[in-house]
Amino acid sequence: DGLVFSDRSFKAGSLEAKAAYAPFRLTYKNDLLWITNHYDFLSFEGCSFIYTLTLDGDVLETKTLSATTVPHDSFSIAPSVMPDHCKLGCYASIRMIDRNGHETGVLQVQLPVSIVSDAASAPLSLKDTAREIVAEGSRFRYAISKQTGMLKSICIDGRELLREEVVLSADRATTDNEKGMVNYWHLVDIWQGENLDHTFHKAYDVSFDRNSVTVQASEAGVSRVPFFRYTLKYNFFTDGSIHFSLDGNVRQDTVWLPRIGFEFALPYSDDKFRYFGNGPAESYCDTTHHGTVDWHQSDADAEYVNYARPQEHGNHTQTRKLLFSDGLSFTADREMDICVSHYDTHAIQRAAHTDELVKSDATHVRIDYKDSGIGSQSCGPELLEKYRLSEKEIHFGFTLGIHEEKI
């Protein structure tokens, strides 16, 4: 009933159901990993459990275990190593194999290991021109528009990487489950929606001091009061990194938002990427159990999900780092949602059938504070409050940088 595609192939929802139905649960308590038997009548006799501990994506230890745990009881594993700190995250996973050799589930928990970020390099002094604020180094040149306060140029080793100016947005193509929200989000009639698909950006002030640019601005749907007022601060450093800091307030009577974050349009051919986050299949804040947080590699075409009707797809939650083949990197202060596609939001939203979907001439990248969950309102209840982007204060930070890794 929607758990597989029409050709019976699996999708992320199929894998999420498998994780929900897995006959065990994994928790971490009192320095121990606890595996609980969720069978009602069967013990774990004859089953095997493959335990793996990773640090920043590197395997620290792995072992295969067996147990005879009775229904609703638990057995524990004590990690033999526990790091003091990490850069991206420390995770433990359990893969269960049943008596017939079938995998019944893979579950993962994050361990309480402190995440320590690399120290920033020296501040980079900025240059003032008639229309831009410019940051330059031996390998890079960045430019911020004085009119909009947005990044309008990323030039690395003499090559321009932005196809258009970076934008801050809250819209995404709606899913079948979000049909009931279209009137609230999009320009359907003149009375009801926030018109997130037709927005205006207004910068009230763009100023800079030494290595920092500060932008006071707002976002509003056409003919609407701004739904988001914010301060965006950029800090530039000599290694070519830029730290983005977004602090803002959503209007109190605004309906919950589909997402909020930044959109980058990179060259079409620069579509290969590697990320440390939830994968390899798409995930949203209410569909994270099927994936594992680890290093995953992909490209824009592989991220496309062929739903019967073109709609939102390809998001990855719990992401800490994203690396592109063009040398750009994105690193979250905490976590971010990411999406990489050869289709822009408007193209997906306009297409009623897959043959009407036309690729862009760019690779579209979303770096998001948060995306709302998917839910099941196509024929079910409303999305639960805890999975909505309904908070009124937004604080989000990430760093754009240059990396040398081959993708």
Side-chain angles (χ1 to χ4, degrees):
D1 206 16
L3 282 179
V4 295
F5 286 115
S6 58
D7 63 357
R8 299 186 182 184
S9 60
F10 287 167
K11 56 183 179 179
S14 319
L15 303 176
E16 187 70 8
K18 176 182 176 179
Y21 297 160
F24 72 102
R25 288 295 179 266
L26 176 63
T27 55
Y28 182 77
K29 185 178 181 181
N30 298 328
D31 300 326
L32 294 172
L33 287 165
W34 293 91
I35 294 89
T36 302
N37 186 339
H38 267 226
Y39 283 128
D40 286 331
F41 305 104
L42 297 177
S43 75
F44 278 160
E45 186 172 1
C47 301
S48 60
F49 299 86
I50 302 171
Y51 152 72
T52 304
L53 178 67
T54 62
L55 178 73
D56 299 335
D58 296 324
V59 176
L60 294 184
E61 66 174 330
T62 183
K63 60 180 72 172
T64 300
L65 308 163
S66 60
T68 58
T69 310
V70 298
H72 305 295
D73 202 356
S74 305
F75 74 96
S76 64
I77 301 171
S80 59
V81 291
M82 184 59 72
D84 294 327
H85 64 274
C86 60
K87 291 184 178 181
L88 300 173
C90 184
Y91 294 84
S93 62
I94 296 292
R95 177 173 176 246
M96 179 180 174
I97 309 298
D98 69 11
R99 297 164 179 79
N100 299 312
H102 299 143
E103 178 191 280
T104 59
V106 180
L107 301 182
Q108 184 187 64
V109 293
Q110 184 173 7
L111 302 187
V113 176
S114 297
I115 297 177
V116 179
S117 302
D118 292 331
S121 64
L124 175 67
S125 296
L126 302 175
K127 300 177 182 179
D128 189 14
T129 71
R131 297 185 178 182
E132 300 173 341
I133 300 169
V134 177
E136 284 187 288
S138 59
R139 294 186 54 197
F140 60 88
R141 183 186 186 276
Y142 305 128
I144 291 178
S145 166
K146 284 185 172 181
Q147 181 179 10
T148 64
M150 287 295 167
L151 195 61
K152 61 182 292 186
S153 175
I154 298 176
C155 191
I156 307 296
D157 295 329
R159 181 171 178 248
E160 177 59 55
L161 298 183
L162 280 185
R163 288 292 176 262
E164 56 192 51
E165 190 171 282
V166 174
V167 296
L168 179 69
S169 63
D171 191 29
R172 70 180 188 197
T174 52
T175 68
D176 287 336
N177 292 346
E178 293 167 342
K179 290 180 293 188
M181 294 303 300
V182 171
N183 287 345
Y184 298 97
W185 286 343
H186 290 168
L187 180 55
V188 177
D189 60 53
I190 63 172
W191 306 111
Q192 191 173 21
E194 285 290 347
N195 302 343
L196 301 179
D197 53 340
H198 293 76
T199 54
F200 285 95
H201 165 84
K202 181 173 178 60
Y204 304 102
D205 183 68
V206 180
S207 60
F208 79 97
D209 179 33
R210 290 174 292 189
N211 78 315
S212 178
V213 177
T214 302
V215 181
Q216 305 287 345
S218 68
E219 293 286 329
V222 60
S223 76
R224 295 293 185 263
V225 175
F227 65 87
F228 188 49
R229 297 181 183 272
Y230 65 90
T231 299
L232 173 61
K233 189 172 184 178
Y234 307 87
N235 284 308
F236 293 83
F237 300 93
T238 54
D239 63 355
S241 61
I242 312 170
H243 183 262
F244 290 63
S245 180
L246 176 68
D247 298 281
N249 296 94
V250 178
R251 199 183 70 242
Q252 285 298 316
D253 62 349
T254 302
V255 68
W256 57 278
L257 300 174
R259 54 171 283 274
I260 196 161
F262 296 86
E263 295 186 45
F264 294 76
L266 304 181
Y268 183 93
S269 59
D270 294 341
D271 64 344
K272 296 177 179 59
F273 65 97
R274 190 167 178 253
Y275 66 98
F276 187 87
N278 191 297
E282 64 177 0
S283 62
Y284 293 80
C285 60
D286 60 344
T287 59
T288 62
H289 305 89
H290 66 275
T292 56
V293 177
D294 205 339
W295 280 109
H296 302 282
Q297 190 144 343
S298 188
D299 60 67
D301 285 338
E303 291 297 296
Y304 177 67
V305 182
N306 191 26
Y307 289 105
R309 182 183 69 81
Q311 57 191 282
E312 162 65 21
H313 63 271
N315 190 72
H316 295 285
T317 62
Q318 301 168 283
T319 303
R320 292 277 305 176
K321 200 171 189 72
L322 171 63
L323 306 175
F324 277 93
S325 53
D326 58 18
L328 283 188
S329 69
F330 297 86
T331 306
D333 288 1
R334 298 181 181 87
E335 289 182 352
M336 59 189 176
D337 279 32
I338 65 165
C339 182
V340 181
S341 179
H342 277 150
Y343 303 98
D344 65 31
T345 296
H346 298 295
I348 300 171
Q349 189 67 29
R350 285 193 301 264
H353 306 89
T354 54
D355 64 310
E356 300 167 5
L357 192 57
V358 179
K359 284 186 178 181
S360 165
D361 61 354
T363 297
H364 297 275
V365 181
R366 293 198 322 233
I367 304 295
D368 287 348
Y369 159 75
K370 181 180 176 182
D371 277 54
S372 289
I374 296 300
S376 59
Q377 201 180 0
S378 178
C379 56
E382 291 184 343
L383 182 67
L384 295 177
E385 176 68 31
K386 65 180 178 179
Y387 298 127
R388 302 176 186 178
L389 201 175
S390 56
E391 50 264 49
K392 300 305 179 184
E393 290 190 10
I394 306 297
H395 304 286
F396 178 45
F398 67 93
T399 298
L400 182 153
I402 305 171
H403 74 90
E404 303 294 338
E405 184 176 329
K406 186 175 179 60
I407 305 296

